[in-house]
Amino acid sequence: SEEDRVAKEVLTELLEKMGIDAEITASLSEPSRPDADAPVLLDVRGQNLNVLIGRRGETLASLQYVTRLITSRRIQQRANIIVDVAGYKSQRSDRLEKLAKRMANQAVSQNRTITLEPMPPNERRMVHLALRNREDVYTKSTGEGDARKVMIIPK
């Protein structure tokens, strides 16, 4: 589609300006909700790309934001794009799910609330989703801005 093509062009330009040599593949990702359109997933592969991920994925989030912004402006509509680097996001989501389950078990066995480290909104959402079907705990976010974190509370 035009969106894929333009998004890939934009990201390629951004990486070139950053002096980063990488390969970008575009594919359709899983939609966030059943009624939503599937976002375009741009996966960046290459050497030494940690600089694109940054601490807790902050640089990657910014790169995705800028790519979306420029693409949206060029195609004159909101671009639904996810930028990932070497599968970091999918691996991160697996790690977060395992962490959530481990901490939920700990909360139950110790019968106390466990508070995770601060996370960006998309990661907090992954934790909430990982535990939403459990009957022995519930989750809630607490704190302000960048310090927001998830609490896992035994029922």
Side-chain angles (χ1 to χ4, degrees):
S1 76
E2 187 196 12
E3 185 179 36
D4 307 20
R5 187 184 55 73
V6 173
K8 198 170 169 179
E9 236 168 62
V10 167
L11 186 55
T12 302
E13 279 173 42
L14 287 170
L15 294 177
E16 278 171 6
K17 286 187 167 66
M18 293 167 80
I20 290 170
D21 179 33
E23 190 74 24
I24 301 168
T25 53
S27 59
L28 283 181
S29 179
E30 286 294 302
S32 52
R33 298 183 314 276
D35 60 339
D37 288 337
V40 176
L41 173 67
L42 297 177
D43 193 30
V44 181
R45 302 263 165 180
Q47 300 298 311
N48 307 323
L49 296 179
N50 285 349
V51 63
L52 290 180
I53 296 170
R55 188 166 161 270
R56 290 202 195 120
E58 287 167 7
T59 308
L60 181 53
S62 301
L63 184 63
Q64 175 175 292
Y65 174 76
V66 171
T67 304
R68 267 186 192 169
L69 203 64
I70 297 171
T71 303
S72 298
R73 187 157 289 165
R74 288 194 186 165
I75 64 174
Q76 297 292 303
Q77 67 181 37
R78 190 180 163 278
N80 190 6
I81 300 164
I82 295 172
V83 176
D84 200 357
V85 172
Y88 169 82
K89 283 184 178 174
S90 52
Q91 291 163 7
R92 178 79 177 141
S93 115
D94 292 346
R95 287 195 304 272
L96 278 171
E97 194 172 323
K98 288 189 176 91
L99 172 75
K101 290 177 174 161
R102 211 169 54 241
M103 292 298 120
N105 293 340
Q106 195 178 321
V108 170
S109 72
Q110 298 176 358
N111 194 25
R112 69 180 179 91
T113 297
I114 296 204
T115 305
L116 302 179
E117 66 176 42
M119 294 175 195
N122 60 314
E123 294 190 352
R124 287 196 310 274
R125 182 168 179 270
M126 286 176 202
V127 173
H128 291 303
L129 290 175
L131 299 177
R132 72 173 171 195
N133 295 326
R134 293 211 22 174
E135 317 222 311
D136 53 354
V137 294
Y138 67 97
T139 58
K140 73 179 207 184
S141 288
T142 177
E144 293 300 315
D146 289 346
R148 265 180 96 67
K149 40 192 156 207
V150 176
M151 294 168 73
I152 302 173
I153 304 156
K155 284 186 183 165

